[in-house]
Amino acid sequence: MRKLLTLLLLCTLSSCGGNTPAFAEYGVPQGWVEFCQREADLQCQPQIKATVPASNEWLVQIAMINIAINGRYIPAEDWDVYGHLDYWTYPKGDFADCEDFVLAKIETLAQAGIPRGAMSIIIGFLQNGEGHAVLGVHLSDGRIIVLDSLHNRILPLEQARYLKLHMMQLHGNPMIWKKLW
């Protein structure tokens, strides 16, 4: 979570090398680039743009998964767990930082039937200036709800005022990130 500087280190075509044409000209978080290079994961592949029905049944299921993942891991800094300032990965053992929580939520939601193309990682800054990642889920009514490791309740994106939005994955393509301010 001491990632204010690292979140601002963006990988572009020129800094990542010419063999990464899927990255947008705006850049993506360096930790995401390294995760995708290391894992070659489904999370890094373009998906069919999707939404989740904005029904109580789906919202309850999403909220329960958010609470379960938040309760499963102990928040910890990447430096303390991995010896790196910004290391995106699935949680290892009992510890996770905000990106690890997000990646675990994506996997668990996908296993529960939520399409990967309905999820986007969102990066912002907390009121203390600390970089922070949350998961956005796109609903059929046009809203994006936020799943955060700091809160068990899910919120519409516009109500997550504690987070100054910076960038998010393009809906349906996790390798393209758009600036939000």
Side-chain angles (χ1 to χ4, degrees):
M1 295 196 188
R2 282 174 256 186
K3 297 183 190 114
L4 179 59
L5 295 177
T6 5
L7 287 175
L8 295 176
L9 293 174
L10 302 177
C11 178
T12 63
L13 290 177
S14 61
S15 65
C16 288
N19 60 352
T20 55
F23 296 108
E25 64 184 68
Y26 299 114
V28 298
Q30 184 66 33
W32 175 252
V33 172
E34 292 168 1
F35 169 80
C36 290
Q37 290 171 342
R38 194 175 57 250
E39 299 289 335
D41 198 271
L42 270 178
Q43 309 234 30
C44 304
Q45 303 300 317
Q47 304 291 322
I48 295 173
K49 193 176 186 181
T51 60
V52 175
S55 68
N56 284 341
E57 176 184 338
W58 281 102
L59 293 174
V60 166
Q61 183 176 8
I62 292 167
M64 289 173 55
I65 289 170
N66 187 54
I67 291 167
I69 297 294
N70 286 352
R72 185 175 302 155
Y73 303 105
I74 300 166
E77 300 290 336
D78 283 334
W79 185 260
D80 297 329
V81 178
Y82 306 109
H84 298 279
L85 186 60
D86 190 28
Y87 189 77
W88 293 39
T89 190
Y90 296 107
K92 307 278 193 266
D94 295 332
F95 301 97
D97 79 337
C98 57
E99 297 97 3
D100 303 347
F101 277 96
V102 167
L103 293 170
K105 289 174 187 183
I106 292 171
E107 275 305 302
T108 306
L109 288 166
Q111 291 170 6
I114 305 288
R116 290 179 189 275
M119 297 181 263
S120 297
I121 300 173
I122 301 168
I123 294 178
F125 298 95
L126 298 172
Q127 293 173 349
N128 66 3
E130 196 173 300
H132 188 60
V134 298
L135 179 61
V137 177
H138 300 264
L139 300 179
S140 60
D141 63 6
R143 292 181 298 149
I144 299 172
I145 56 171
V146 171
L147 287 69
D148 193 338
S149 59
L150 300 177
H151 307 284
N152 280 334
R153 64 189 178 111
I154 56 176
L155 295 170
L157 182 59
E158 64 273 4
Q159 290 181 18
R161 293 184 187 98
Y162 63 92
L163 188 65
K164 181 178 180 185
L165 302 176
H166 177 57
M167 62 178 17
M168 74 181 288
Q169 292 172 320
L170 189 65
H171 185 187
N173 192 338
M175 298 312 290
I176 299 176
W177 292 65
K178 63 181 180 178
K179 289 197 177 277
L180 298 174
W181 59 269

